[in-house]
Amino acid sequence: MLTGACQTLFNCGKSMEEDCPPKKQMAKENSLKIEFKSHPHPRNLHQHDGAESPRSCSLDMLLQRLRAIDAQDDKLTNIMDVVGEFGTFQRRLVALNFIPNFLASFFMFADIFLFTPQKPYCNTSWILAVDSNLTEAEQMNLTLPRAPNGSFLTCLMYVPVEWDLHSIIQFGLNHTDSCQNGWIYPEMKRRSLINEFDLVCGGEPNKEIVHTMFLAGLLTGAFFFGFITDKLGRYPTILLSLLELMIFGFGTAFVSSFNQYIFFRFCVSQAVVGYAISSSALLTEWLMGMYRAYAFILGHCFFAMGVVFLTGLSYSLPHWRLLFLLGGTPIFPLICYIWILPESPRWLIMKGKLEEAKQVLCYAAGVNKKTIPLSLLDKLQLPGKKVASASILDFYSNKDLRKLTLVMCSIWFAVGCNYYMLGLKIKELGVDIYLTQVIPGMMEVPARLCCIFLIEQLKRRRTLIVTLFQGAIMCFLSLTLPSELKSLVVLITLLGEFNLAASITMFYIYTSELFPTVLRATGLGLVSLVWAAGGISSLTLVSQNIAILAIILCCLSALVALFYCSSMPETQDQPLPDTLEHIAPHTSFSRSISEELSNEDMLSDDVTEEAAKNTILNARLTSIDHDGLSSPSLQSKEETVDKEED
């Protein structure tokens, strides 16, 4: 009886088609409730047998699984099942994401090693015209004034005179002036931006401005690439971002001024965030279930490994231009992505390019050595007119989309603010510049791998909440503990970066699954824009040296993010939303049934584990086989069998 009741529930839910009008949909939901309540309740059966049902699978969970099976993209999901969840095609797609992630972190954090402090002295080579045999020490003694402590002044020199060497030694030089012919760096061990462009003696670069310009590139790139990814497609946007990274990343080695360097870094940050957004959308729409999460996690692990590679390369190379030349060389083989990178079939269908979507799906099936039945391909349909009209204005006009975006922005702002604050804090402690990069980079790999275990146990939303909460706690302790406890503060800061690195990975997974296909990349761009805003806010507060403001900002943003994140739906084992109509949590149907059943004291009773498994398995098999059995030949066979049975 229990299995029959659940099967009746499935059959009624299955009869709801995607294109049913709202009134018909409500009528079918009501009929489902009546049909379900007409069956004897499992509790009565178990009371009759004198045994209690094991508490294993609740009614809400069963309804949620049945609703996931009856998804709006059921036809495409069935085709993806035929193609294979993680075959050769999907594995190749994931592997293609590794090298760009590796290079993105390399170009993103290269600034850290290019501003090593240098002690300059004025170039006084004019005295060599008097006597070319002077040593460097003699030249400095004769032409550079000294400070009261006996050290040479770095930004002043004696004014040149037309005397012979004997007169200069006998009478000395008295009139000083600022450096007229540049600077020399006698203690220089490696070539950096400081001694390349003489950024000394009033021309020192403001590191906050450099970081702000980089974050400004993230701001503009997030908005621009997010928009064109949804308009032009995932494939061309990935190629465009890689082209920009190739030109301005590798090309940084050939800049001739510091202003050019700042401009190139601005463009590099645009390319980095552009690739992150477009590749996230592509992976989300090609992969299914836990494989999608694994792909994101592995890609972000390669991002962390890129930081370690950058640290080792910058430590071993004596010139900053060689750093970009050697480190940027692996980007050129990525030109082959023009021929091997696929477009997203979901995006193609949403844009009305049905034939191209079928070709891509058939190609993927061919790589996986699978064959898609033609009857199944013919079931794919173009989206409605409302899908084509989706635009960036829907983030304001659509209530559900607006709420979703605001919540995601609050979370992303909190993560960005706390992450940048920890990075700035560890720099203030005076830790070696190479250790501050290689240790966090090595720690972020296991941090992201831990997400695999967490999402299997806690799923997406709770994992994001846990990692963000722990990271915010560590950030609060790092900002409040006194600097005298340097070792403890460094340890807490590293633990905070460990947790926030996991939060970043989980946020990309969770957000990519929440936004609909028609505006997925635009949504990712908007929340990435807020991430950059959080980083700029941290830089601004740190530059003002007001510790209490930094503490308030980090704690308040984290509390707001955690509060709103707790109200968001879970996305694990749920179908991807494709249109704006699919954004609202698809739980109203199951909730309405559960609420009505709870009024009759039925919600607390559980369905037996075996019955739940059988029901879900039968529903899945029915969903997959439905399209295959719909061909004319099979239908005629079924009719013949039915007549023989009659």
Side-chain angles (χ1 to χ4, degrees), residues 75-84 361 372 376-377 380:
K75 299 296 184 299
L76 180 58
T77 302
N78 291 341
I79 293 178
M80 296 294 288
D81 287 337
V82 174
V83 171
L361 290 169
I372 304 175
L376 201 57
L377 279 176
L380 282 180

Side-chain angles (χ1 to χ4, degrees), residues 11 33 46 54 70 100 132 157 176 197 235 255 315 345 389 584 613:
N11 292 334
K33 300 175 188 177
H46 292 299
D70 192 30
S132 59
M157 59 175 285
T176 60
F197 301 118
Y235 166 76
V255 297
Y315 183 80
S389 62
K613 289 182 178 179

